[in-house]
Amino acid sequence: MAKIVKKKRKLKMQNLLSVVFALSLLAYLGSTFVIRSMNVSLNYELTQLNNENEEKQKELDTLRLEVARYTERDYLMSICAANGVNLNYDTNRITYIDEKE
């Protein structure tokens, strides 16, 4: 009679575990690469937005100073005097007086 030999199943299970491990390692490396590249691009975009914000803030400060300068009494009176206009400048309002009337 022929001898019955059982095949070892450990080898097939080991191959399956090796494939699963290799796939999980590739997935880990791929996701790490994608996350790092996204992090770099987001940091670059954040830096650009911060620079743009600083520029806009400087421009806003410049405009505020310019508006403050244009609302000063001496500046308004010098422009009016140069153009021959008579103004009554009160602390609450400016009244234009036309000399023709």
Side-chain angles (χ1 to χ4, degrees):
M1 261 204 181
K3 200 174 189 187
I4 299 175
V5 178
K6 290 185 178 181
K7 294 183 178 179
K8 294 183 180 179
R9 292 209 172 243
K10 286 185 179 180
L11 189 59
K12 287 185 181 180
M13 184 63 85
Q14 201 171 27
N15 287 340
L16 178 65
L17 288 175
S18 297
V19 169
V20 168
F21 177 73
L23 289 176
S24 64
L25 183 64
L26 287 174
Y28 168 75
L29 292 174
S31 64
T32 302
F33 176 73
V34 168
I35 288 173
R36 285 187 184 178
S37 65
M38 287 295 293
N39 189 21
V40 168
S41 84
L42 288 175
N43 280 336
Y44 178 72
E45 187 175 340
L46 179 66
T47 303
Q48 283 183 333
L49 289 174
N50 284 339
N51 290 340
E52 184 177 331
N53 190 18
E54 288 176 7
E55 289 175 8
K56 295 292 182 184
Q57 188 65 35
K58 287 178 184 177
E59 183 178 338
L60 179 63
D61 292 340
T62 304
L63 290 175
R64 281 184 181 162
L65 289 174
E66 192 172 334
V67 166
R69 182 179 153 243
Y70 289 149
T71 56
E72 289 178 358
R73 183 179 195 275
D74 296 335
Y75 179 75
L76 292 174
M77 296 307 262
S78 66
I79 291 176
C80 291
N83 293 326
V85 177
N86 190 8
L87 281 182
N88 284 341
Y89 186 84
D90 196 2
T91 56
N92 295 328
R93 62 177 181 234
I94 298 174
T95 307
Y96 173 70
I97 301 173
D98 191 6
E99 292 180 3
K100 295 177 185 175
E101 293 179 357

